[in-house]
Amino acid sequence: MREALRRPLTEPRPEEDPEFAALAARLNATAQQRLGHSLSIRQVDAGSCNGCELEIHALNNAFYDIERFGIHFVASPRHADVLLVTGPVTRNMQQALERTYAATPDPKWVVAVGDCAFDGGLFAGSYAVLGGVAKAVPVDLHIRGCPPTPTQLLKGLLALLETVTK
């Protein structure tokens, strides 16, 4: 029993990916320079299979932990700079997406995440699907992949911030 209590109760922290850390730090520095504050992201599921959401949520897990770099996910579109939209836009989510877009203050950017958000993906042509995100709201950036990795997501957000002006 004593031997069991001497061992750590948790696993050791995994080795940090230096490329990812440098990328996240660069993204935060660019957001500070361009926006004057940290980047605030609102994620919107417009009808996806949840594969892209798993990768987006991984950004907040203990391994990636982007909050330590000043990049925040927010609960309200009223606090967001960027809308990360996943999935093909289903007809029953079209109005919700449009209202979320309208509630987001200017300047705002929309990032379509994943192949389905680009053109409907596997679901294109279905009676229940409007199509890609651009059919409902203006899109500033597409991040392709099924699903894109957390590193690809950060690279896309960095490219977006490096090309926009206030």
Side-chain angles (χ1 to χ4, degrees):
M1 182 69 164
R2 284 185 181 169
E3 191 60 37
L5 293 175
R6 286 189 186 137
R7 290 190 312 240
L9 297 176
T10 60
E11 297 176 10
R13 180 181 165 96
E15 291 294 321
E16 185 172 345
D17 179 1
E19 177 192 358
F20 184 87
L23 185 61
R26 187 169 154 212
L27 176 59
N28 187 41
T30 305
Q32 292 288 340
Q33 179 186 12
R34 300 283 179 146
L35 305 174
H37 58 82
S38 296
L39 185 65
S40 299
I41 302 169
R42 171 71 174 139
Q43 192 271 321
V44 180
D45 179 353
S48 77
C49 69
N50 293 109
C52 293
E53 281 80 9
L54 290 172
E55 298 301 314
I56 290 170
H57 291 300
L59 289 171
N60 274 331
N61 71 19
F63 184 76
Y64 293 106
D65 189 21
I66 63 166
E67 288 264 341
R68 67 192 156 126
F69 298 104
I71 302 163
H72 306 283
F73 282 90
V74 294
S76 170
R78 287 177 171 75
H79 303 137
D81 302 308
V82 174
L83 295 178
L84 282 184
V85 185
T86 59
V89 179
T90 59
R91 296 196 187 277
N92 67 333
M93 284 299 295
Q94 179 181 0
Q95 184 180 19
L97 177 58
E98 291 167 349
R99 291 172 114 179
T100 301
Y101 179 81
T104 306
D106 290 325
K108 61 187 164 198
W109 300 280
V110 176
V111 177
V113 177
D115 292 341
C116 294
F118 178 69
D119 61 3
L122 296 172
F123 307 102
S126 168
Y127 68 92
V129 172
L130 180 67
V133 175
K135 297 238 178 169
V137 295
V139 173
D140 299 291
L141 176 71
H142 294 279
I143 301 175
R144 298 296 299 262
C146 187
T149 66
T151 302
Q152 288 173 308
L153 293 169
L154 282 190
K155 285 179 180 177
L157 290 171
L158 181 59
L160 175 73
L161 285 181
E162 288 178 338
T163 59
V164 300
T165 56
K166 248 184 170 175

